[in-house]
mmCIF file of all heavy atoms in Angstrom:
data_model
loop_
_atom_site.group_PDB
_atom_site.id
_atom_site.type_symbol
_atom_site.label_atom_id
_atom_site.label_comp_id
_atom_site.label_asym_id
_atom_site.label_seq_id
_atom_site.Cartn_x
_atom_site.Cartn_y
_atom_site.Cartn_z
ATOM 1 N N PHE O 70 9.947 2.396 -66.084
ATOM 2 C CA PHE O 70 9.694 3.828 -65.846
ATOM 3 C C PHE O 70 9.705 4.130 -64.380
ATOM 4 O O PHE O 70 9.670 3.314 -63.539
ATOM 5 C CB PHE O 70 8.403 4.326 -66.579
ATOM 6 C CG PHE O 70 7.179 3.747 -65.976
ATOM 7 C CD1 PHE O 70 6.443 4.489 -65.090
ATOM 8 C CD2 PHE O 70 6.655 2.498 -66.362
ATOM 9 C CE1 PHE O 70 5.224 4.023 -64.532
ATOM 10 C CE2 PHE O 70 5.499 1.961 -65.831
ATOM 11 C CZ PHE O 70 4.772 2.698 -64.911
ATOM 12 N N GLU O 71 9.681 5.428 -64.139
ATOM 13 C CA GLU O 71 9.507 6.021 -62.771
ATOM 14 C C GLU O 71 8.487 7.168 -62.745
ATOM 15 O O GLU O 71 8.092 7.605 -63.837
ATOM 16 C CB GLU O 71 10.901 6.515 -62.289
ATOM 17 C CG GLU O 71 11.725 5.454 -61.625
ATOM 18 C CD GLU O 71 11.064 4.810 -60.471
ATOM 19 O OE1 GLU O 71 10.286 5.523 -59.701
ATOM 20 O OE2 GLU O 71 11.166 3.604 -60.309
ATOM 21 N N GLY O 72 8.054 7.552 -61.606
ATOM 22 C CA GLY O 72 7.194 8.686 -61.497
ATOM 23 C C GLY O 72 7.498 9.480 -60.262
ATOM 24 O O GLY O 72 7.525 8.797 -59.131
ATOM 25 N N LEU O 73 7.726 10.744 -60.317
ATOM 26 C CA LEU O 73 7.895 11.565 -59.133
ATOM 27 C C LEU O 73 7.428 12.948 -59.386
ATOM 28 O O LEU O 73 6.940 13.284 -60.466
ATOM 29 C CB LEU O 73 9.330 11.588 -58.627
ATOM 30 C CG LEU O 73 10.413 12.208 -59.425
ATOM 31 C CD1 LEU O 73 11.595 12.513 -58.500
ATOM 32 C CD2 LEU O 73 10.917 11.293 -60.538
ATOM 33 N N ASN O 90 13.744 7.100 -56.335
ATOM 34 C CA ASN O 90 13.301 6.771 -57.723
ATOM 35 C C ASN O 90 14.390 6.233 -58.558
ATOM 36 O O ASN O 90 14.197 5.325 -59.356
ATOM 37 C CB ASN O 90 12.591 8.041 -58.361
ATOM 38 C CG ASN O 90 11.349 8.397 -57.732
ATOM 39 O OD1 ASN O 90 11.340 9.214 -56.821
ATOM 40 N ND2 ASN O 90 10.243 7.749 -58.077
ATOM 41 N N ARG O 93 15.321 2.882 -57.454
ATOM 42 C CA ARG O 93 14.315 1.881 -57.981
ATOM 43 C C ARG O 93 14.443 1.649 -59.487
ATOM 44 O O ARG O 93 14.228 0.495 -59.966
ATOM 45 C CB ARG O 93 12.946 2.320 -57.598
ATOM 46 C CG ARG O 93 11.810 1.253 -57.905
ATOM 47 C CD ARG O 93 10.518 1.562 -57.242
ATOM 48 N NE ARG O 93 9.921 2.873 -57.864
ATOM 49 C CZ ARG O 93 8.863 3.384 -57.350
ATOM 50 N NH1 ARG O 93 8.205 2.899 -56.322
ATOM 51 N NH2 ARG O 93 8.419 4.472 -57.917
ATOM 52 N N TYR O 135 4.648 16.794 -62.635
ATOM 53 C CA TYR O 135 4.877 15.353 -62.719
ATOM 54 C C TYR O 135 6.118 15.069 -63.510
ATOM 55 O O TYR O 135 6.252 15.593 -64.644
ATOM 56 C CB TYR O 135 3.616 14.597 -63.129
ATOM 57 C CG TYR O 135 3.795 13.110 -63.186
ATOM 58 C CD1 TYR O 135 3.634 12.390 -61.906
ATOM 59 C CD2 TYR O 135 4.123 12.410 -64.247
ATOM 60 C CE1 TYR O 135 3.853 11.003 -61.881
ATOM 61 C CE2 TYR O 135 4.281 10.966 -64.222
ATOM 62 C CZ TYR O 135 4.194 10.369 -62.985
ATOM 63 O OH TYR O 135 4.325 9.000 -62.919
ATOM 64 N N ARG O 186 -2.135 -9.703 -61.514
ATOM 65 C CA ARG O 186 -1.271 -8.700 -61.981
ATOM 66 C C ARG O 186 0.205 -9.276 -62.036
ATOM 67 O O ARG O 186 0.966 -8.947 -63.008
ATOM 68 C CB ARG O 186 -1.197 -7.491 -61.031
ATOM 69 C CG ARG O 186 -0.416 -6.260 -61.530
ATOM 70 C CD ARG O 186 -0.192 -5.237 -60.466
ATOM 71 N NE ARG O 186 0.961 -5.452 -59.699
ATOM 72 C CZ ARG O 186 2.240 -4.939 -59.941
ATOM 73 N NH1 ARG O 186 2.401 -4.186 -60.892
ATOM 74 N NH2 ARG O 186 3.221 -5.294 -59.116
ATOM 75 N N GLY O 193 6.569 -8.199 -60.968
ATOM 76 C CA GLY O 193 5.655 -7.307 -60.214
ATOM 77 C C GLY O 193 6.397 -6.355 -59.310
ATOM 78 O O GLY O 193 5.826 -5.253 -59.098
ATOM 79 N N ALA O 195 9.087 -4.785 -60.057
ATOM 80 C CA ALA O 195 9.828 -3.823 -60.871
ATOM 81 C C ALA O 195 8.824 -2.916 -61.561
ATOM 82 O O ALA O 195 7.676 -3.372 -61.855
ATOM 83 C CB ALA O 195 10.648 -4.547 -61.898
ATOM 84 N N LYS O 196 9.186 -1.623 -61.863
ATOM 85 C CA LYS O 196 8.241 -0.776 -62.470
ATOM 86 C C LYS O 196 8.354 -0.867 -63.992
ATOM 87 O O LYS O 196 9.111 -0.121 -64.662
ATOM 88 C CB LYS O 196 8.491 0.661 -61.998
ATOM 89 C CG LYS O 196 7.198 1.410 -61.655
ATOM 90 C CD LYS O 196 7.383 2.740 -60.964
ATOM 91 C CE LYS O 196 6.201 3.645 -61.087
ATOM 92 N NZ LYS O 196 5.027 3.197 -60.354
ATOM 93 N N VAL O 197 7.715 -1.905 -64.475
ATOM 94 C CA VAL O 197 7.874 -2.376 -65.871
ATOM 95 C C VAL O 197 6.600 -1.943 -66.653
ATOM 96 O O VAL O 197 5.448 -2.108 -66.159
ATOM 97 C CB VAL O 197 7.974 -3.925 -65.845
ATOM 98 C CG1 VAL O 197 7.832 -4.514 -67.302
ATOM 99 C CG2 VAL O 197 9.295 -4.312 -65.209
ATOM 100 N N ASN O 200 3.620 -4.441 -67.071
ATOM 101 C CA ASN O 200 2.713 -4.719 -65.981
ATOM 102 C C ASN O 200 1.442 -3.923 -66.125
ATOM 103 O O ASN O 200 0.393 -4.436 -65.759
ATOM 104 C CB ASN O 200 3.390 -4.289 -64.617
ATOM 105 C CG ASN O 200 4.405 -5.360 -64.143
ATOM 106 O OD1 ASN O 200 4.436 -6.424 -64.541
ATOM 107 N ND2 ASN O 200 5.283 -4.829 -63.307
ATOM 108 N N TYR O 201 1.558 -2.739 -66.630
ATOM 109 C CA TYR O 201 0.314 -1.957 -66.855
ATOM 110 C C TYR O 201 -0.550 -2.452 -67.958
ATOM 111 O O TYR O 201 -1.706 -2.517 -67.939
ATOM 112 C CB TYR O 201 0.633 -0.476 -67.091
ATOM 113 C CG TYR O 201 0.923 0.115 -65.651
ATOM 114 C CD1 TYR O 201 2.155 0.108 -65.011
ATOM 115 C CD2 TYR O 201 -0.159 0.760 -65.008
ATOM 116 C CE1 TYR O 201 2.292 0.555 -63.815
ATOM 117 C CE2 TYR O 201 0.004 1.292 -63.733
ATOM 118 C CZ TYR O 201 1.289 1.195 -63.125
ATOM 119 O OH TYR O 201 1.462 1.742 -61.881
ATOM 120 N N TRP O 221 -5.739 -6.034 -56.516
ATOM 121 C CA TRP O 221 -5.097 -7.357 -56.964
ATOM 122 C C TRP O 221 -4.882 -8.253 -55.751
ATOM 123 O O TRP O 221 -4.457 -7.833 -54.740
ATOM 124 C CB TRP O 221 -3.844 -7.163 -57.706
ATOM 125 C CG TRP O 221 -4.015 -6.208 -58.911
ATOM 126 C CD1 TRP O 221 -3.656 -4.932 -59.020
ATOM 127 C CD2 TRP O 221 -4.485 -6.671 -60.171
ATOM 128 N NE1 TRP O 221 -3.929 -4.443 -60.300
ATOM 129 C CE2 TRP O 221 -4.412 -5.521 -60.994
ATOM 130 C CE3 TRP O 221 -4.983 -7.863 -60.761
ATOM 131 C CZ2 TRP O 221 -4.860 -5.573 -62.331
ATOM 132 C CZ3 TRP O 221 -5.342 -7.872 -61.985
ATOM 133 C CH2 TRP O 221 -5.302 -6.725 -62.833
ATOM 134 N N GLU O 232 -2.015 -5.170 -54.118
ATOM 135 C CA GLU O 232 -2.009 -3.750 -54.305
ATOM 136 C C GLU O 232 -3.102 -3.365 -55.232
ATOM 137 O O GLU O 232 -3.792 -4.162 -55.796
ATOM 138 C CB GLU O 232 -0.646 -3.237 -54.771
ATOM 139 C CG GLU O 232 -0.268 -3.807 -56.059
ATOM 140 C CD GLU O 232 1.151 -3.281 -56.464
ATOM 141 O OE1 GLU O 232 1.190 -2.026 -56.650
ATOM 142 O OE2 GLU O 232 2.121 -4.055 -56.789
ATOM 143 N N VAL O 233 -3.240 -2.010 -55.411
ATOM 144 C CA VAL O 233 -4.335 -1.432 -56.199
ATOM 145 C C VAL O 233 -3.718 -0.757 -57.409
ATOM 146 O O VAL O 233 -2.863 0.079 -57.216
ATOM 147 C CB VAL O 233 -5.075 -0.354 -55.397
ATOM 148 C CG1 VAL O 233 -6.223 0.230 -56.212
ATOM 149 C CG2 VAL O 233 -5.702 -0.922 -54.153
ATOM 150 N N GLY O 234 -4.187 -1.001 -58.584
ATOM 151 C CA GLY O 234 -3.778 -0.244 -59.801
ATOM 152 C C GLY O 234 -2.372 0.283 -59.663
ATOM 153 O O GLY O 234 -1.417 -0.471 -59.900
ATOM 154 N N SER O 235 -2.272 1.499 -59.436
ATOM 155 C CA SER O 235 -0.889 2.146 -59.314
ATOM 156 C C SER O 235 -0.623 2.585 -57.857
ATOM 157 O O SER O 235 0.106 3.510 -57.674
ATOM 158 C CB SER O 235 -0.676 3.264 -60.285
ATOM 159 O OG SER O 235 -1.776 4.177 -60.058
ATOM 160 N N MET O 236 -1.248 1.910 -56.943
ATOM 161 C CA MET O 236 -1.001 2.256 -55.543
ATOM 162 C C MET O 236 -0.805 1.021 -54.686
ATOM 163 O O MET O 236 -1.387 -0.054 -54.927
ATOM 164 C CB MET O 236 -2.306 2.904 -54.966
ATOM 165 C CG MET O 236 -2.577 4.348 -55.524
ATOM 166 S SD MET O 236 -3.849 5.163 -54.737
ATOM 167 C CE MET O 236 -5.269 4.317 -55.188
ATOM 168 N N ASN O 237 -0.106 1.209 -53.575
ATOM 169 C CA ASN O 237 -0.055 0.231 -52.492
ATOM 170 C C ASN O 237 -1.311 0.415 -51.642
ATOM 171 O O ASN O 237 -1.973 1.461 -51.679
ATOM 172 C CB ASN O 237 1.291 0.332 -51.776
ATOM 173 C CG ASN O 237 2.402 -0.009 -52.592
ATOM 174 O OD1 ASN O 237 3.228 0.936 -52.995
ATOM 175 N ND2 ASN O 237 2.613 -1.230 -52.953
ATOM 176 N N ILE O 255 4.784 -7.484 -55.279
ATOM 177 C CA ILE O 255 4.151 -6.188 -55.015
ATOM 178 C C ILE O 255 5.255 -5.056 -55.302
ATOM 179 O O ILE O 255 6.398 -5.241 -55.100
ATOM 180 C CB ILE O 255 3.811 -6.084 -53.546
ATOM 181 C CG1 ILE O 255 2.668 -7.038 -53.214
ATOM 182 C CG2 ILE O 255 3.468 -4.603 -53.092
ATOM 183 C CD1 ILE O 255 2.255 -7.035 -51.789
ATOM 184 N N LEU O 256 4.822 -4.057 -55.928
ATOM 185 C CA LEU O 256 5.688 -2.921 -56.276
ATOM 186 C C LEU O 256 6.110 -2.152 -54.968
ATOM 187 O O LEU O 256 5.218 -1.710 -54.259
ATOM 188 C CB LEU O 256 4.992 -2.008 -57.270
ATOM 189 C CG LEU O 256 5.781 -0.963 -58.079
ATOM 190 C CD1 LEU O 256 6.264 0.301 -57.263
ATOM 191 C CD2 LEU O 256 6.955 -1.521 -58.837
ATOM 192 N N PRO O 257 7.391 -1.996 -54.694
ATOM 193 C CA PRO O 257 7.776 -1.314 -53.467
ATOM 194 C C PRO O 257 7.656 0.174 -53.584
ATOM 195 O O PRO O 257 8.624 0.867 -54.011
ATOM 196 C CB PRO O 257 9.250 -1.744 -53.246
ATOM 197 C CG PRO O 257 9.762 -2.095 -54.648
ATOM 198 C CD PRO O 257 8.544 -2.494 -55.414
ATOM 199 N N GLY O 258 6.442 0.715 -53.250
ATOM 200 C CA GLY O 258 6.203 2.135 -53.469
ATOM 201 C C GLY O 258 6.986 2.966 -52.522
ATOM 202 O O GLY O 258 7.256 2.667 -51.412
ATOM 203 N N ILE O 259 7.348 4.166 -53.013
ATOM 204 C CA ILE O 259 8.131 5.089 -52.197
ATOM 205 C C ILE O 259 7.142 5.780 -51.325
ATOM 206 O O ILE O 259 7.465 6.075 -50.115
ATOM 207 C CB ILE O 259 8.922 6.117 -53.129
ATOM 208 C CG1 ILE O 259 9.950 5.293 -53.945
ATOM 209 C CG2 ILE O 259 9.580 7.212 -52.318
ATOM 210 C CD1 ILE O 259 10.445 6.011 -55.183
ATOM 211 N N THR O 260 5.916 6.029 -51.749
ATOM 212 C CA THR O 260 4.923 6.550 -50.842
ATOM 213 C C THR O 260 4.582 5.561 -49.771
ATOM 214 O O THR O 260 4.482 5.925 -48.565
ATOM 215 C CB THR O 260 3.648 6.937 -51.637
ATOM 216 O OG1 THR O 260 3.959 7.507 -52.851
ATOM 217 C CG2 THR O 260 2.713 7.849 -50.848
ATOM 218 N N ARG O 261 4.548 4.286 -50.087
ATOM 219 C CA ARG O 261 4.312 3.212 -49.055
ATOM 220 C C ARG O 261 5.348 3.258 -47.995
ATOM 221 O O ARG O 261 5.015 3.370 -46.817
ATOM 222 C CB ARG O 261 4.341 1.804 -49.782
ATOM 223 C CG ARG O 261 4.302 0.642 -48.856
ATOM 224 C CD ARG O 261 4.504 -0.624 -49.637
ATOM 225 N NE ARG O 261 4.415 -1.794 -48.819
ATOM 226 C CZ ARG O 261 5.388 -2.264 -47.975
ATOM 227 N NH1 ARG O 261 6.571 -1.637 -47.956
ATOM 228 N NH2 ARG O 261 5.150 -3.315 -47.191
ATOM 229 N N LYS O 262 6.541 3.320 -48.491
ATOM 230 C CA LYS O 262 7.737 3.294 -47.505
ATOM 231 C C LYS O 262 7.706 4.564 -46.635
ATOM 232 O O LYS O 262 7.905 4.482 -45.465
ATOM 233 C CB LYS O 262 9.013 3.294 -48.393
ATOM 234 C CG LYS O 262 10.320 3.445 -47.618
ATOM 235 C CD LYS O 262 11.506 3.373 -48.601
ATOM 236 C CE LYS O 262 12.763 3.611 -47.911
ATOM 237 N NZ LYS O 262 13.976 3.326 -48.676
ATOM 238 N N THR O 300 -1.792 4.262 -51.450
ATOM 239 C CA THR O 300 -0.674 5.171 -51.450
ATOM 240 C C THR O 300 0.059 5.132 -52.755
ATOM 241 O O THR O 300 0.355 4.032 -53.322
ATOM 242 C CB THR O 300 0.363 4.926 -50.336
ATOM 243 O OG1 THR O 300 1.005 3.725 -50.559
ATOM 244 C CG2 THR O 300 -0.294 5.000 -48.978
ATOM 245 N N GLY O 301 0.395 6.322 -53.425
ATOM 246 C CA GLY O 301 1.171 6.288 -54.583
ATOM 247 C C GLY O 301 1.508 7.693 -54.879
ATOM 248 O O GLY O 301 0.845 8.686 -54.519
ATOM 249 N N THR O 302 2.503 7.967 -55.748
ATOM 250 C CA THR O 302 3.009 9.372 -56.086
ATOM 251 C C THR O 302 1.822 10.158 -56.687
ATOM 252 O O THR O 302 1.615 11.338 -56.200
ATOM 253 C CB THR O 302 4.107 9.275 -57.084
ATOM 254 O OG1 THR O 302 5.207 8.599 -56.389
ATOM 255 C CG2 THR O 302 4.501 10.652 -57.476
ATOM 256 N N ALA O 303 1.012 9.613 -57.595
ATOM 257 C CA ALA O 303 -0.033 10.398 -58.287
ATOM 258 C C ALA O 303 -1.058 10.934 -57.252
ATOM 259 O O ALA O 303 -1.323 12.074 -57.131
ATOM 260 C CB ALA O 303 -0.618 9.651 -59.334
ATOM 261 N N VAL O 305 -1.035 10.327 -53.894
ATOM 262 C CA VAL O 305 -0.455 10.509 -52.539
ATOM 263 C C VAL O 305 -1.116 9.531 -51.619
ATOM 264 O O VAL O 305 -0.555 8.374 -51.435
ATOM 265 C CB VAL O 305 -0.484 11.988 -52.025
ATOM 266 C CG1 VAL O 305 0.311 12.060 -50.711
ATOM 267 C CG2 VAL O 305 0.021 12.965 -52.948
ATOM 268 N N TYR O 337 1.813 14.156 -44.503
ATOM 269 C CA TYR O 337 2.528 13.801 -45.691
ATOM 270 C C TYR O 337 2.572 15.026 -46.642
ATOM 271 O O TYR O 337 3.704 15.465 -47.064
ATOM 272 C CB TYR O 337 1.941 12.609 -46.400
ATOM 273 C CG TYR O 337 2.824 11.908 -47.375
ATOM 274 C CD1 TYR O 337 3.677 10.929 -46.849
ATOM 275 C CD2 TYR O 337 2.871 12.251 -48.660
ATOM 276 C CE1 TYR O 337 4.503 10.240 -47.726
ATOM 277 C CE2 TYR O 337 3.749 11.535 -49.557
ATOM 278 C CZ TYR O 337 4.525 10.554 -49.044
ATOM 279 O OH TYR O 337 5.392 9.898 -49.923
HETATM 280 C C1 PLP T 1 4.464 3.245 -59.082
HETATM 281 C C2 PLP T 1 3.572 2.265 -58.519
HETATM 282 C C3 PLP T 1 3.135 2.219 -57.155
HETATM 283 C C4 PLP T 1 3.281 3.399 -56.214
HETATM 284 O O1 PLP T 1 4.703 3.673 -56.089
HETATM 285 P P1 PLP T 1 5.088 5.146 -55.537
HETATM 286 O O2 PLP T 1 6.609 5.065 -55.539
HETATM 287 O O3 PLP T 1 4.531 5.317 -54.164
HETATM 288 O O4 PLP T 1 4.617 6.167 -56.534
HETATM 289 C C5 PLP T 1 2.346 1.168 -56.660
HETATM 290 N N1 PLP T 1 1.990 0.150 -57.486
HETATM 291 C C6 PLP T 1 2.443 0.123 -58.770
HETATM 292 C C7 PLP T 1 2.060 -1.099 -59.568
HETATM 293 C C8 PLP T 1 3.196 1.115 -59.381
HETATM 294 O O5 PLP T 1 3.572 1.059 -60.591
#
Side-chain angles (χ1 to χ4, degrees):
F70 68 97
E71 273 303 322
L73 67 159
N90 292 93
R93 188 171 63 188
Y135 183 77
R186 189 190 86 94
K196 223 168 161 72
V197 166
N200 284 340
Y201 278 85
W221 298 104
E232 58 179 305
V233 179
S235 55
M236 292 190 290
N237 295 107
I255 292 175
L256 197 285
I259 296 161
T260 319
R261 175 189 182 277
K262 176 177 174 168
T300 64
T302 296
V305 190
Y337 201 87

